[in-house]
Amino acid sequence: MNRIEVTDLTRPELDVYARLTERQLLHYYEPNGGIFIAESPYVIERALDAGCRPISFLMEHKHIETKAADLLARLPDVPVYTGEREVLQELTGYAMTRGVLCAMERTPRPSVEEICQNARRVVVLENIMNPTNIGAIFRSAAALNTDAVLLTPGCTDPLYRRSARVSMGTVFQVPWTWIGGIPADWPEQGMERLRRMGFKTAAMALKHDTVPIDDPDLLAEKKLAIILGTEGDGLKDSTIADCDYTVKIPMSHGVDSLNVAAASAVAFYQLGK
């Protein structure tokens, strides 16, 4: 094992864990791919299985022969920076979930057409910024028959540390990519790409002129893109107007809306049958 005790918190090899923001990591090798931080052995294992290349580990002493033992046996040459919990928390500025981090290289993202080629149900996330919601949506997508996730340029990156952790590593199992490179690419150009691939579009929105989520015509669509909007404001009016269906989840007790992650689970379960 290439084990390195953390005694100097300023050493440059630790910058990826201590002094670089998620956005700086994203552009680390620009114009090539960047770096992301995977947190917890479970997430790291799924990232490795998906072909992501590790750069280094950061972990508490106690996990070297316990939770991380299988990972380290699998990657004996990868540097392992290690220390007591208090030292690592001082370094990173937060308590590490399950005491293990791994800096990994990003892989190139596939095109929308590549991941949707054989898909029956996909979800489009419009400008969803909360990393916890992004992670939870991916977990529901993996569990509930959603074939791919497409993100508009205004979304938070699914490989941000918290997003990947909340997803339980499913961001490395469900195919995903960006639908457009700049905000102006959505909705018009993005919708046109979906139509060219044969998808009908369903906007999940709190409107009066809607179809129920169990509408027979909706369920019968061979290829359906479920479109979810940002926290608070929901979908843009222009997005809703451009969709084939506007769909509302029926609710009781005067509740007028669900968190977007909760709404995604309901939609994926009903529309993925």
Side-chain angles (χ1 to χ4, degrees), residues 60-139:
E60 297 176 37
H61 288 148
K62 65 181 180 179
H63 295 317
I64 289 177
E65 296 181 356
T66 55
K67 293 179 180 177
D70 290 343
L71 288 174
L72 298 181
R74 183 174 175 178
L75 301 161
D77 298 326
V78 176
V80 180
Y81 297 97
T82 184
E84 293 296 338
R85 181 180 181 86
E86 294 75 19
V87 172
L88 301 190
Q89 185 166 340
E90 181 182 355
L91 173 71
T92 62
Y94 56 86
M96 292 158 50
T97 298
R98 304 190 183 277
V100 182
L101 300 177
C102 185
M104 312 187 89
E105 293 183 0
R106 288 174 176 263
T107 55
R109 296 255 53 90
S111 70
V112 172
E113 287 73 18
E114 286 172 327
I115 68 170
C116 292
Q117 184 175 6
N118 298 312
R120 175 177 169 268
R121 294 291 185 264
V122 303
V123 60
V124 180
L125 307 184
E126 182 183 272
N127 302 338
I128 295 178
M129 294 298 297
N130 186 301
T132 299
N133 284 337
I134 291 284
I137 291 169
F138 266 88
R139 192 171 180 182

Side-chain angles (χ1 to χ4, degrees), residues 136-182:
I137 291 169
F138 266 88
R139 192 171 180 182
S140 293
L144 300 169
N145 300 311
T146 301
D147 301 310
V149 179
L150 307 176
L151 301 103
T152 68
C155 284
T156 289
D157 194 308
L159 295 188
Y160 281 179
R161 179 177 59 87
R162 183 178 293 180
S163 297
R165 188 190 75 206
V166 171
S167 82
M168 293 296 289
T170 55
V171 293
F172 305 106
Q173 295 181 308
V174 179
W176 67 272
T177 197
W178 303 96
I179 185 163
I182 58 174

